[in-house]
Amino acid sequence: MEWRMANKIDEVPIAGDGILPCIYPVRGFTSMPDSNLETVPGISEYVLRIAKYMGGSCLHKVDREGCPLYIERLGYHDAKKLATFTTIEEVVNYHIACNEFLHRKIMGECTERVGHIIHKETVIFDCTNMGWNQFHMPALQFIRAIADIDQKYYPETMNKLYLVNAPSAFVMVWKIVKGWLDPGVIEKIHILGKDYPKVLLEQIPAENLPDFLGGTCTCSHIAGGCVPSHMAKTLPVAPEITVANPNVSGVYTDELVEKSRKAAEAKKAEAAAQGTAPFA
């Protein structure tokens, strides 16, 4: 709580109001239309720069418990360039903004759907295409920083984490990463073998699991499919950085955030006026 207050985390702006665009792909929720990260004026330059070196990710529907499902194509990350052309501070700020959107917007919807509080997510890391280039120590420090944030300030928010299609060399990296994780987190991590579709389908309905992971979902209605990735060639290119995307400290420019704030105030005033009109 002290961290949230000191860093004004509750004031971190989140998408879903029709003005602030999503900062990572979303599928299967009513509170946020199916969207990709796109070149939209007002998104910070560093958000688009991070995406340039990422292998692809998506907040993709829900599991059988009603928890949101996050999928990341870990094996397609350009780890060396990510560590070279972005900073840990930028990646951590981006991660916090993604977390706030997940917890304040998406989990609220999930809670309404099932009728009880949902405060955890299920995660799949797909290691397809992973090679020695991902095992880059400076890039691993980014993982350590993110894990540190999640364990300190978003504790007990992971339901389960599945690692699939991991190469044998991953064992060496896992020995390093495991040392940074709390025992309670390690217990929720499942490194699956070739029969991983069977295990995933026990947790996730087939219609909510992408076909490349053993499900039946394709998200053919939107560019990039279930987990859009220019690295995996499901999208032609990464979002372009333009002059309308200045490098600011937050994920959105102050101008866009102010526009969102004014729209929210106008909506609140309109609702209040409608509520008091009969008594005027």
Side-chain angles (χ1 to χ4, degrees):
M1 186 61 70
E2 290 181 4
W3 172 79
R4 294 189 68 86
M5 292 179 63
N7 293 279
K8 299 182 179 180
I9 300 300
D10 290 330
E11 297 177 21
V12 171
I14 60 173
D17 63 352
I19 295 176
L20 298 177
C22 69
I23 55 173
Y24 66 124
V26 177
R27 307 283 189 269
F29 300 95
T30 58
S31 57
M32 183 73 196
D34 288 359
S35 309
N36 290 334
L37 171 62
E38 297 177 343
T39 301
V40 177
I43 290 183
S44 179
E45 180 270 343
Y46 77 81
V47 172
L48 300 176
R49 181 161 30 89
I50 289 170
K52 182 177 180 179
Y53 306 115
M54 293 285 285
S57 65
C58 187
L59 197 56
H60 189 277
K61 304 184 177 182
V62 298
D63 69 5
R64 295 185 186 277
E65 298 176 64
C67 298
L69 174 63
Y70 175 76
I71 304 171
E72 189 166 309
R73 306 195 80 161
L74 199 65
Y76 284 96
H77 291 344
D78 192 330
K80 289 185 178 180
K81 287 186 178 179
L82 189 66
T84 301
F85 298 112
T86 72
T87 68
I88 288 179
E89 182 181 9
E90 288 172 336
V91 171
V92 166
N93 285 345
Y94 173 67
H95 181 70
I96 290 170
C98 291
N99 270 355
E100 290 301 305
F101 169 72
L102 169 65
H103 289 278
R104 286 156 49 193
K105 175 65 67 173
I106 298 301
M107 286 189 181
E109 177 182 335
C110 293
T111 293
E112 291 181 4
R113 286 187 186 185
V114 300
H116 59 81
I117 294 175
I118 295 291
H119 65 279
K120 297 183 179 183
E121 66 175 326
T122 293
V123 177
I124 301 175
F125 284 157
D126 179 14
C127 299
T128 298
N129 197 58
M130 182 173 283
W132 284 108
N133 58 312
Q134 268 88 10
F135 307 147
H136 181 60
M137 186 54 69
L140 291 178
Q141 294 305 316
F142 284 55
I143 296 176
R144 183 174 190 173
I146 289 172
D148 189 52
I149 287 290
D150 285 346
Q151 291 178 127
K152 284 183 178 178
Y153 306 121
Y154 298 92
E156 298 299 322
T157 57
M158 182 191 293
N159 187 32
K160 295 178 181 178
L161 188 153
Y162 299 100
L163 274 154
V164 302
N165 297 314
S168 57
F170 178 78
V171 174
M172 298 175 61
V173 178
W174 176 237
K175 288 180 179 179
I176 297 172
V177 174
K178 191 175 181 180
W180 303 334
L181 303 177
D182 295 336
V185 173
I186 294 172
E187 289 178 0
K188 298 175 182 179
I189 297 175
H190 308 271
I191 302 175
L192 304 182
K194 293 182 179 179
D195 64 340
Y196 72 83
K198 178 182 177 181
V199 178
L200 295 181
L201 288 168
E202 290 175 355
Q203 182 68 29
I204 305 155
E207 62 271 20
N208 289 1
L209 185 66
D211 59 354
F212 66 85
L213 291 173
T216 60
C217 188
T218 61
C219 288
S220 58
H221 65 288
I222 187 169
C226 293
V227 186
S229 168
H230 62 282
M231 294 289 198
K233 306 303 182 184
T234 65
L235 286 177
V237 293
E240 182 183 2
I241 299 171
T242 72
V243 294
N245 304 110
N247 193 12
V248 295
S249 59
V251 295
Y252 305 112
T253 61
D254 290 343
E255 291 80 6
L256 190 60
V257 172
E258 180 65 10
K259 182 180 179 181
S260 173
R261 185 189 66 79
K262 287 182 177 179
E265 289 182 351
K267 186 176 181 180
K268 187 182 297 184
E270 181 181 356
Q274 291 175 348
T276 57
F279 305 99

